[in-house]
Amino acid sequence: MNLIPGIGIVRGMSLTLRRFFQPKVTIRYPEVPSDVAVKFRGRLQLLYDENGSLKCETCFQCAQACPIECIDMGGMDTKGRFHVHWGAAETYGERREESALRRSGRPVPDPAYERFAPIDIAAVDSILEDFDHDPAQLLGILEATQAAFDYLPVGALKRISERTGTGYAQIYGTASFYGHLRLGALGAPAAAPSAAPYLAALAAATGAAGRQADA
Amino acid sequence: MTVMSRAWGRLTLPGKVIFTAIPLLLAVGVALALVVGILGGPIVELASQYGAVLRFLVAATIILVITIPTAFLIIFMEMKIIAFMNLRVGPDRVGPWGTLLSVVHGLKVLVKEDFTPSGADPLIFTLAPVVVYGSSVMTLVVLPFAPGLFAQDFNIGLLYFFAMGGLAVVGLLMAGWSSFNKYSLLGGLRSAAQMVSYEIPLTLSVAGLLLLAGTMSVNQLVANQSGWFTNWYVFQQPLGFVIFFIAVTAEANRTPFDLTEADSEIVAGFATEYSGMRFGFFFFAEYVNVFIVSAMTVALFFGGWNAPFPFPALAILLDPGSLGIWLLLGIAIVPLVGTLLLSLPFLLTRSSMPAWQAIVLGFVLFNVVVIGLLGVWAFVSFDWVAGLLWFLAKTYVFVFTFVWMRATLPRVRIDQLMGFAWKWLMPAALLNLFVTAGAILVVGR
């Protein structure tokens, strides 16, 4: 078959001609909505790259965009210094695995970090009152908060997000962007909570070492 | 005002000339029309006296003008067909089914900066695209579109066609040489080498056909193929057709022989230094060339404007004058009745549609029906309409084939290209010529 000269050209041409009449794969999304089942709810999944480390950069954009606020997440910021959270504390990924361990009767590792410390919300509220709850003055609000607390506690950030209606991701992004805004107490970065021992213990307990390699 | 003066300052010299020439030409044209309208008689007399000159002017204008929609249509076909063959949708944003995208491409090319590299020879640099485009437009002169619908009927039409096609090489060399860029020069030389070596099998492949036909006039060649489709020369010269088609693909710089100006590569051959509309003209010429070589293939081997089989004479020749007063009545009544009749189904079945909408819809449908009927009537009763339709239908089949080949075949290497021309195509063309000559000697035509 392959010995006939020009047979490759004929086969290629017939292939393209068949393709010409086949249905097209392009999805014209905004004009033609995709055909999704009514009960489809999707499944959230974090992806790992080829080195086994999590591709998620904890930017919270998914959580912020989620219209029914069903996405919650917690993790380390990109420099591995601070715990950042979105959503109720008991629904963090780590916490979920922990509660699963607890239910299974195995020993539960001691989390090496604390959840964000309770703070005096009234101070934040008065600052917000001064700024008229205006999200456009976010930087001013954050600076005033830092002046009041000496750094930006997670609780204050969550309160600001709640009262101004601004997404937590945006507030966290603003706070972490400016050099003069601190997310941890001054002079105590070394004592900043580290997730590594907790995650290592958790990995040892669950036997899923490879998946947590990056943390 | 400053905007205007700044825009004027940015124009190149040819741009300034064109922008002043356009209103001047418009004024002259309006003045001419007024003069003809006011003192019509003597002018018509003069025109009939110099009929050949007038015919030449009209034909040249028409030929120049029809290249624009032709190129736009072929560019659109190329985008859409290749997209379909890649399982994509292709252009679908501008105009219905994206048909106006090629026009937008043209406008985009028009507003881009027309850059001339320092050190380039500006005159030759500017003339090169004109020569390339002109050579392909001049070949259109001998193409018979339909019985009686051709610019000029030469008795050496085919020779003229090949000569003008060969002129493109000069344009490519000019472009390569004047760019002041050694890559452009190499690209120009490479394309010249390709086109010159493919011209030999191209010319030899039709030699057998010329022996059979005994004429070089393209019109006569087409007329020889009238009647059933078995009279087409492709059945007497199959090898000649294959060689002609391959060589013509190389002449038109189409895939798989498009390495003179390989679109997908960084250095664009002879066109490396070109930008703006000058670059656009090279592309324009390429797509006009696709049309021309398809049309020539059809004219030489596939019967030109002849229908594949002789139509039974079903021309119901209706002389409107014989109707007398009924003609006036018909003109008055038929649109009204037709509109109402065609809107009736909507009025009766669509209760949600207001009456005026139904009537507007009926009017539109009536117009569609009338235009369709007029087309059928023209097809049946005018030879040249039918001929033009057959010719364009066959031509666009070949245009489709060229695009189809572009969607399928990879580009060949330069040594494979030259080797194929000299080692395979030329011997095959010579064989075809000798076999045809021998057969004519034995059978006696």
Side-chain angles (χ1 to χ4, degrees), chain A residues 13 16 24-25 28 31, chain B residues 85 87-88 92-93 404 408:
Chain A
M13 298 285 272
T16 39
K24 306 294 168 256
V25 294
R28 277 176 261 203
E31 289 102 22
Chain B
M85 287 177 173
L87 295 185
R88 291 182 285 120
D92 70 337
R93 299 286 129 168
W404 181 15
T408 310

Side-chain angles (χ1 to χ4, degrees), chain B residues 130-148:
Chain B
V130 178
V131 171
V132 172
Y133 180 66
S135 76
S136 58
V137 168
M138 274 153 82
T139 50
L140 267 176
V141 168
V142 288
L143 275 184
F145 285 86

Side-chain angles (χ1 to χ4, degrees), chain A residues 17-190:
Chain A
L17 194 63
R18 263 178 284 139
R19 288 278 188 277
F20 184 73
F21 294 106
Q22 277 173 9
K24 306 294 168 256
V25 294
T26 309
I27 299 167
R28 277 176 261 203
Y29 166 61
E31 289 102 22
V32 186
S34 56
D35 187 19
V36 176
V38 181
K39 294 183 78 175
F40 178 75
R41 290 294 177 271
R43 184 167 70 107
L44 298 176
Q45 190 177 17
L46 297 179
L47 300 177
Y48 293 84
D49 66 8
E50 66 277 12
N51 299 321
S53 50
L54 202 58
K55 280 184 172 179
C56 172
E57 294 189 345
T58 333
C59 69
F60 293 132
Q61 283 191 21
C62 57
Q64 190 186 2
C66 181
I68 52 172
E69 299 184 1
C70 72
I71 299 178
D72 57 73
M73 57 182 296
M76 302 290 283
D77 70 354
T78 48
K79 297 200 176 84
R81 289 173 308 180
F82 306 110
H83 290 282
V84 287
H85 311 286
W86 182 279
E90 63 274 18
T91 56
Y92 304 156
E94 310 90 282
R95 294 283 158 178
R96 255 202 304 279
E97 290 194 12
E98 188 188 308
S99 70
L101 274 183
R102 189 171 284 122
R103 279 202 303 281
S104 70
R106 277 179 283 176
V108 178
D110 183 28
Y113 67 96
E114 297 169 25
R115 285 160 56 183
F116 60 85
I119 54 158
D120 184 15
I121 293 294
V124 182
D125 281 349
S126 71
I127 291 169
L128 286 169
E129 199 64 48
D130 292 341
F131 283 94
D132 201 20
H133 297 90
D134 184 5
Q137 306 196 39
L138 185 58
L139 186 56
I141 295 174
L142 290 176
E143 278 164 352
T145 312
Q146 176 157 313
F149 290 93
D150 195 40
Y151 70 106
L152 292 173
V154 175
L157 295 187
K158 289 182 84 74
R159 185 66 177 173
I160 295 168
S161 162
E162 190 184 312
R163 298 298 297 218
T164 59
T166 316
Y168 182 77
Q170 195 178 345
I171 290 175
Y172 176 74
T174 312
S176 56
F177 175 77
Y178 288 101
H180 66 284
L181 295 177
R182 294 182 298 276
L183 290 167
L186 201 60

